[in-house]
Amino acid sequence: DTGVSQDPRHKITKRGQNVTFRCDPISEHNRLYWYRQTLGQGPEFLTYFQNEAQLEKSRLLSDRFSAERPKGSFSTLEIQRTEQGDSAMYLCASRGTGVNEQFFGPGTRLTVL
Amino acid sequence: AQSVTQLGSHVSVSEGALVLLRCNYSSSVPPYLFWYVQYPNQGLQLLLKYTSAATLVKGINGFEAEFKKSETSFHLTKPSAHMSDAAEYFCAVSPQAAGNKLTFGGGTRVLVKP
């Protein structure tokens, strides 16, 4: 069990640039979740996939955010035209069928200058 | 709709003393409840979960929590704090239905004094 992995672990970018993060879930897990955590706060739900279908998106996910899971395995989260308010830790989690817990990756910390 | 309130953003305990972290939830449907721990610059690790079986749940590292429906609470306890327990703790709720997205509380940072 290699766990959930995320890449990169840290990203520093300038305002206005686009960034893309990758999440590789535990291999047999069909559900994948993205959360955002700002400093001193609990994680907030962004979106989730069941296999390749994106089944729910939070209102936090503005038009500048897009997530994909093209083959039902890894997922990408892209932020276009980054703003300083996008600075946060982006967490990915996965869950298998019949299992009630989500397994979290180490997160990608984004800093927008 | 679901929400979680964690009372106390910071808790300081002496090594060997009782750890008590409070969590109250609001849910319009039967919930699942979770406690996660987060060490600096790391993801979340599950401590324990309530999934409608036993109301007293035991987790890893000596932690336990009790689900009290009448009080809408799921407080986390550990009888004797260890230095390694210094971390941030998050209570979370999810619906039992499909999707199961987690709604987290604001977190409680635990400081353990020698």
Side-chain angles (χ1 to χ4, degrees):
Chain A
D1 179 3
T2 58
V4 179
S5 61
Q6 293 186 246
D7 184 69
R9 294 291 309 276
H10 304 273
K11 179 70 177 179
I12 300 174
T13 191
K14 294 182 179 179
R15 190 177 53 185
Q17 298 294 305
N18 298 345
V19 295
T20 299
F21 310 141
R22 176 178 171 128
C23 170
D24 287 88
I26 294 171
S27 59
E28 65 271 21
H29 286 184
N30 62 337
R31 293 192 181 186
L32 187 148
Y33 304 78
W34 285 98
Y35 294 86
R36 181 173 68 186
Q37 184 180 21
T38 53
L39 205 60
Q41 303 296 319
E44 295 174 293
F45 170 78
L46 292 178
T47 188
Y48 97 93
F49 293 84
Q50 181 166 312
N51 300 312
E52 66 276 8
Q54 188 174 18
L55 296 186
E56 186 174 350
K57 294 194 294 185
S58 163
R59 281 173 285 183
L60 292 176
L61 217 62
S62 75
D63 292 345
R64 296 184 297 105
F65 288 70
S66 63
E68 294 183 341
R69 193 182 183 198
K71 296 182 180 179
S73 56
F74 72 91
S75 175
T76 58
L77 178 67
E78 181 183 16
I79 309 174
Q80 297 182 327
R81 305 181 302 281
T82 52
E83 301 173 356
Q84 288 185 325
D86 297 331
S87 295
M89 174 80 88
Y90 290 84
L91 294 164
C92 175
S94 70
R95 184 170 78 89
T97 302
V99 177
N100 296 317
E101 67 178 275
Q102 295 179 24
F103 294 83
F104 282 81
T108 294
R109 181 167 295 284
L110 173 66
T111 302
V112 182
L113 302 176
Chain B
Q2 300 187 308
S3 66
V4 175
T5 302
Q6 291 184 239
L7 294 177
S9 58
H10 292 80
V11 167
S12 181
V13 298
S14 297
E15 192 174 19
L18 171 72
V19 180
L20 170 60
L21 304 182
R22 298 180 186 275
C23 171
N24 288 88
Y25 70 93
S26 172
S27 178
S28 57
V29 297
Y32 290 150
L33 292 155
F34 306 84
W35 275 99
Y36 284 88
V37 61
Q38 186 176 36
Y39 297 98
N41 296 313
Q42 294 188 24
L44 302 170
Q45 180 183 10
L46 183 70
L47 281 177
L48 49 78
K49 60 184 179 182
Y50 166 76
T51 56
S52 70
T55 56
L56 182 62
V57 181
K58 294 188 183 297
I60 62 171
N61 301 339
F63 285 94
E64 65 179 38
E66 186 172 8
F67 172 68
K68 292 187 176 180
K69 184 178 179 180
S70 61
E71 298 177 8
T72 59
S73 69
F74 191 56
H75 302 329
L76 181 71
T77 60
K78 181 174 180 177
S80 177
H82 191 271
M83 296 299 292
S84 60
D85 295 327
E88 187 145 26
Y89 293 79
F90 293 96
C91 181
V93 63
S94 78
Q96 293 186 14
N100 300 107
K101 67 181 181 184
L102 293 167
T103 300
F104 287 88
T108 299
R109 184 169 297 279
V110 173
L111 172 66
V112 182
K113 298 177 293 185

